[in-house]
Amino acid sequence: AEPDWPGGEQVRVRIGVHTGSPRVHEGGYVGMDVHRAARIAGSAHGGQVVMSEATAKLVTASLPRGVGLLDLGSHQLKDIAQAEHLFQLVLAGLASEFGPLRTLGASSSLPVPPTPLVGRDGELAELAALLESPGVRLVTLTGPGGSGKTRLAVGLAASLVERFTDGVYFVDLAAATGTDVMWTTIAEALDVPPEGRIPPGFFSHVAHRSALLVLDNLEQVNGADAVVVDLLRQAPKVVVMATSRRPLNVPGERQHAVPPLELPDQTAHEDVAQSGAVQLFVQSAQAVKSSFTLTAENAADVVAICRRLDGLPLAIELAAARIKLLTPKALLARLDTALDLKASGAGRPTRQQTLRDTIGWSHDLLTSQQQALFRRLGVFAGGADLDAITAVCGDTLEGSDPLELVGALVDANLATVNEDLYGEPRIGMLETVRSYARDQLTAAGELVTVSDRHADHYLALAELLKPLLHGPQHLQTRTRLETDHDNLREALRWILHSDTIPSDFADKAQTGLRLYTALHRFWFVSGYFSEGRRWAELAIGRAGGSDSAELARCLQLQATNLRMSADLDRAQHCATASVDMWRRLDDPSGLAAALVAAAAVGADIGQPPASLRPLYEEALAIARESGDKAQLCAILGGVATLVGFEHDYQRSLELDTEALDIARELADPSAALFHQHNLACSLRLIGRVQEAKEQMIDLIPRSLEFNEPADLMVLAEDYAAILADSGDYLTAVRLFGAADAMLERLGNLRYPVQEAELAQPIAKTRSSLSPTEWNAAYQAGRETTVEALLAETQLQKGTVA
């Protein structure tokens, strides 16, 4: 920018800066991070320097005086799925004002409506102005089910995409039953990584975002008001638009009651066509019968239908779907005779009676086989694939193609079909329709039988997928479980909350314990820590005190859960109860794992090593005698850790080496990572620091691929200790800072023994750096992710100078 170029020309160079881990190939750099850097550069204008968040976090603390960064918000880069948070370098001598970045725009996640929004132009303009008013950050759209709240919210959000630099997001909370599920559902919609799905870690991912969140179906979530208040307080640039059958009644809320669609005052053809209700009827009718038109002959009947349905959008859509079979006059006659009889004495507000009766009328036009399938679909939460429908509703199919039967429900607007991640059809229902289907299921006396089948199917699915969480298919398995997470929750609710309802299950309590045990690892590695603890506590409580292998195993897993939240008294109680129960059951295999868990809790509490040694030595003897290599591998790792707590690092190294060999023999990548990690720690503690560092550098890329939050946090701490012993104090301190921040996001506390082992390397870094240097590095680490810092270690392999 400074030189005088010939002819008074100006040379404007655009620069993109990104920090990552490229690979060297034929003398050049290749890899995703090189591609990302190129896209960032391509987004800039001439004379503009744009950098990624990864770079910005690394340089913020050390920028020279007069140099700053301008937050440009999150942007979608071509060919890159995840939005990138971008910053502009600002300093004297460079232009500071440029047009919008040349990106694909802000990241957003809105459902695509199948038809245009009609009859809401005035409301759209009114609500858009309201959301753009200073200080307005919460608008709640209220109204009965089927009034069009969700459709209006989506249409409004779509019109505001350009205003929110970090995008607009739709969050479906119809299946959420508590605040923990609400938090994780919002986090998933915002693509927050697993370790940041619950407060306080959640807020570190959203505090800077200027985004609009559409929170749909809040009425059934107890505590939703507190979640919204906390979200708005901690994320000052976020605006919330909520839909609910009732207002939240929190400070700052602006309520908007969504009225029915406008009904025509006259029946003349020209006046009728301007009505929002009639426009929706015509649009919905043409979706099933393209030749349908509004004419002078049928206008009066169409108006009568819309008036009879009170202008409720869902009711109109359901009724209009029957135009495929009936004329408007015939439709009106059937509507009047069927609905008037059912609506009387329903004890509901008029509009809800009308909507319910409209669904009922559409239901009554189905064949008996279609009706049976419809009511059984009411047990599914969040939709279902065809395999699940066949397993749960198979008695209704009678040799028919399930997709054909589902098609009839879709034609009647009583079900939806979407494509899942694998390109297969996934069948769903509007929540209002699903509620009606469940009522029909109860009225038919089939709720217990079908709910039992539903729970049995998802128990079998969870137990089938459980071992795959340890193998090379672990990422696909986690995705598969995420897809049906709401159904798995529904199965647990049925099993554990309906204990007073008769059931075909021989013992619902034992079934609940089995389902919890099958899902424990999924919750653990996916960041659902508090939810997992809650389900375990409920399952144990429902089981009572009767001895069983399922209860003993669940107690052992809950002991580990409670260790992670530093609830050591309860952890010790669970671990001891598990050991005692396995002994009474005379089950050596179960006893071995429980003994290791009990010894680990004892070490956390501070019991003397001599009192713990018999526990883990007994466990090791059982495992060696069993001949089960997978169990021996797991027990070796646990015992190696406990031996390390006693400072017998040489034996710990020998045990981890043996375990690592077995894990590789079994082709268990998760176990191999665990034991190689522990082996590296043992090498450091016996003074073989360079070997420890080499082991860590080797396993880090595979650990990042597995992406298990708690494991990555501990890996960062232990690698930081190795770097401190190697003299790389600044990198070590940054890793300590990142690990501490991640620990807070996970909502856990560090094990006391781990705290003690880290004390020496932390002290070494403090004595080797000035307080200013140490604090700056630690803060830089806290502002960077563990994943980003660990990825940098690939540069230490020597492949990149």
Side-chain angles (χ1 to χ4, degrees):
E2 291 179 351
D4 293 327
W5 294 91
E9 294 290 338
Q10 288 184 312
V11 178
R12 295 185 176 90
V13 179
R14 66 172 184 260
I15 298 176
V17 189
H18 174 59
T19 305
S21 306
R23 293 183 290 109
V24 172
H25 179 69
E26 296 181 356
Y29 293 154
V30 297
M32 191 62 195
D33 284 308
V34 177
H35 184 62
R36 191 182 299 272
R39 289 301 188 208
I40 293 171
S43 74
H45 298 272
Q48 186 180 27
V49 181
V50 178
M51 66 181 66
S52 67
E53 184 178 37
T55 301
K57 286 184 174 181
L58 294 173
V59 303
T60 297
S62 57
L63 289 172
R65 183 182 300 276
V67 179
L69 299 179
L70 176 65
D71 189 339
L72 300 178
S74 296
H75 291 263
Q76 200 69 45
L77 302 176
K78 185 180 179 183
D79 301 326
I80 298 177
Q82 190 172 9
E84 186 71 41
H85 190 190
L86 299 177
F87 297 80
Q88 175 184 312
L89 189 69
V90 179
L91 71 160
L94 287 184
S96 59
E97 295 184 4
F98 299 89
L101 291 180
R102 293 179 290 192
T103 62
L104 301 182
S107 174
S108 61
S109 174
L110 288 175
V112 179
T115 56
L117 179 62
V118 297
R120 300 292 191 186
D121 292 347
E123 284 184 272
L124 282 174
E126 176 186 347
L127 288 168
L130 178 61
L131 281 167
E132 292 176 350
S133 301
V136 175
R137 297 184 57 218
L138 172 61
V139 174
T140 304
L141 307 185
T142 62
S147 60
K149 301 183 295 294
T150 299
R151 183 66 183 85
L152 177 59
V154 170
L156 178 60
S159 71
L160 297 173
V161 168
E162 296 300 325
R163 179 194 157 186
F164 293 90
T165 57
D166 293 319
V168 296
Y169 298 85
F170 181 85
V171 185
D172 184 1
L173 296 167
T177 55
T179 55
D180 54 348
V181 178
M182 184 174 173
W183 280 119
T184 53
T185 304
I186 295 172
E188 289 165 16
L190 292 173
D191 201 23
V192 173
E195 71 274 12
R197 286 177 171 167
I198 57 173
F202 171 85
F203 298 125
S204 66
H205 293 280
V206 300
H208 69 280
R209 297 199 193 187
S210 173
L212 172 66
L213 302 186
V214 180
L215 305 184
D216 192 47
N217 286 306
L218 287 185
E219 61 268 5
Q220 85 291 344
V221 184
N222 291 327
D225 53 347
V227 171
V228 172
V229 169
D230 208 11
L231 174 62
L232 294 174
R233 182 187 301 120
Q234 299 293 338
K237 297 181 181 179
V238 165
V239 175
V240 170
M241 178 163 48
T243 73
S244 177
R245 298 188 188 185
R246 57 179 183 269
L248 298 176
N249 293 319
V250 300
E253 180 187 34
R254 305 293 289 271
Q255 300 174 17
H256 177 86
V258 177
L261 289 170
E262 179 188 8
L263 294 168
D265 295 328
Q266 307 294 328
T267 58
H269 180 218
E270 296 76 16
D271 297 327
V272 167
Q274 304 305 313
S275 159
V278 171
Q279 289 177 24
L280 179 61
F281 182 93
V282 172
Q283 177 180 278
S284 301
Q286 289 176 343
V288 297
K289 187 176 182 180
S290 59
S291 62
F292 178 81
T293 57
L294 185 69
T295 65
E297 289 72 27
N298 64 25
D301 292 326
V302 171
V303 169
I305 291 169
C306 290
R307 286 178 175 169
R308 179 66 185 85
L309 300 177
D310 285 341
L312 286 173
L314 178 58
I316 291 171
E317 290 174 349
L318 292 169
R322 311 319 303 177
I323 287 295
K324 186 175 182 179
L325 304 174
L326 305 169
T327 65
K329 185 177 291 296
L331 174 59
L332 180 61
R334 288 170 177 258
L335 192 66
D336 284 338
T337 56
L339 295 186
D340 286 344
L341 289 174
K342 292 192 221 174
S344 60
R348 293 173 178 266
T350 301
R351 289 173 182 167
Q352 290 187 15
Q353 290 179 37
T354 304
L355 174 61
R356 181 175 181 82
D357 291 338
T358 302
I359 298 172
W361 172 75
S362 291
H363 164 267
D364 291 344
L365 292 178
L366 300 173
T367 67
S368 59
Q369 185 183 26
Q370 292 165 356
Q371 288 178 355
L373 178 61
F374 168 76
R375 61 180 178 264
R376 283 163 172 76
L377 290 179
V379 300
F380 293 102
D385 57 29
L386 292 178
D387 287 341
I389 290 173
T390 301
V392 177
C393 314
D395 60 325
T396 69
L397 301 179
E398 300 175 357
S400 301
D401 182 351
L403 197 56
E404 183 178 337
L405 287 177
V406 167
L409 303 183
V410 173
D411 287 343
N413 281 337
L414 292 173
T416 60
V417 179
N418 294 299
E419 188 176 295
D420 67 14
L421 294 173
Y422 309 99
E424 293 295 318
R426 188 167 181 85
I427 316 306
M429 282 181 165
L430 295 171
E431 196 59 26
T432 307
V433 177
R434 177 176 176 251
S435 177
Y436 180 90
R438 285 184 67 88
D439 288 346
Q440 291 295 307
L441 194 64
T442 301
E446 300 168 348
L447 178 65
V448 171
T449 300
V450 178
S451 295
D452 281 354
R453 287 184 199 157
H454 175 275
D456 194 51
H457 173 75
Y458 286 101
L459 170 63
L461 177 68
E463 292 186 329
L464 176 69
L465 295 179
K466 176 187 173 185
L468 300 182
L469 288 167
H470 295 269
Q473 296 180 337
H474 65 102
L475 290 177
Q476 300 95 311
T477 303
R478 282 166 60 180
T479 301
R480 178 69 183 85
L481 289 168
E482 285 280 7
T483 300
D484 268 313
H485 201 174
D486 287 333
N487 275 313
L488 293 163
R489 289 165 171 151
E490 183 72 19
L492 278 164
R493 276 194 292 271
W494 171 253
I495 293 168
L496 297 176
H497 284 290
S498 59
D499 52 325
T500 59
I501 300 175
S503 169
D504 291 337
F505 282 120
D507 191 333
K508 293 182 80 171
Q510 295 301 308
T511 305
L513 292 169
R514 284 175 58 193
L515 184 50
Y516 167 77
T517 301
L519 292 172
H520 166 78
R521 181 168 176 79
F522 164 68
W523 282 321
F524 188 85
V525 301
S526 300
Y528 299 104
F529 302 111
S530 60
E531 184 174 356
R533 284 193 295 268
R534 179 169 60 83
W535 283 120
E537 184 172 350
L538 187 59
I540 292 169
R542 287 286 187 271
S546 301
D547 288 357
S548 70
E550 289 81 8
L551 178 55
R553 188 171 293 107
C554 191
L555 285 165
Q556 173 210 321
L557 296 174
Q558 182 70 332
T560 301
N561 291 336
L562 295 169
R563 279 186 72 208
M564 291 195 65
S565 56
D567 192 347
L568 298 181
D569 288 341
R570 291 177 63 206
Q572 185 181 38
H573 170 77
C574 288
T576 302
S578 179
V579 169
D580 292 344
M581 193 173 294
W582 284 120
R583 290 195 190 281
R584 291 193 297 270
L585 293 169
D586 192 22
D587 187 324
S589 178
L591 176 60
L595 286 167
V596 173
V601 175
D604 286 343
I605 292 174
Q607 293 179 355
S611 66
L612 302 176
R613 196 172 298 120
L615 297 178
Y616 63 72
E617 292 291 0
E618 181 183 359
L620 188 57
I622 291 171
R624 290 195 185 283
E625 292 172 6
S626 70
D628 184 337
K629 289 190 175 182
Q631 185 189 42
L632 176 58
C633 184
I635 298 298
L636 283 168
V639 174
T641 301
L642 291 165
V643 168
F645 293 165
E646 298 180 23
H647 310 295
D648 188 351
Y649 303 124
Q650 184 60 45
R651 187 180 179 214
S652 181
L653 176 63
E654 293 168 358
L655 292 169
D656 273 317
T657 301
E658 182 182 356
L660 180 58
D661 290 341
I662 296 174
R664 288 170 173 166
E665 179 186 346
L666 296 173
D668 185 339
S670 178
L673 286 177
F674 175 80
H675 297 301
Q676 188 174 354
H677 176 174
N678 286 352
L679 185 147
C681 294
S682 296
L683 286 169
R684 178 186 79 85
L685 292 167
I686 62 176
R688 294 159 62 178
V689 177
Q690 184 56 36
E691 293 176 67
K693 184 176 179 181
E694 291 170 358
Q695 291 287 342
M696 278 288 188
I697 291 175
D698 178 65
L699 67 87
I700 283 172
R702 285 175 287 129
S703 295
L704 289 170
E705 182 182 345
F706 262 69
N707 192 30
E708 296 187 358
D711 290 348
L712 286 174
M713 180 202 69
V714 178
L715 180 67
E717 294 174 342
D718 290 331
Y719 187 45
I722 291 172
L723 293 178
D725 285 352
S726 302
D728 189 352
Y729 304 120
L730 286 173
T731 305
V733 175
R734 288 169 62 207
L735 280 168
F736 283 135
D740 281 351
M742 188 172 187
L743 187 70
E744 295 169 9
R745 290 196 298 271
L746 292 174
N748 294 327
L749 296 176
R750 188 174 286 116
Y751 295 149
V753 178
Q754 177 79 347
E755 195 85 49
E757 286 193 359
L758 295 177
Q760 181 268 336
I762 291 175
K764 182 180 288 189
T765 61
R766 285 190 177 277
S767 65
S768 303
L769 298 170
S770 70
T772 301
E773 289 174 321
W774 199 96
N775 291 332
Y778 181 80
Q779 188 59 35
R782 286 189 63 88
E783 295 174 358
T784 312
T785 65
V786 161
E787 293 87 345
L789 287 180
L790 288 174
E792 287 182 24
T793 62
Q794 299 311 291
L795 300 177
Q796 299 178 28
K797 287 185 175 182
T799 57
V800 179

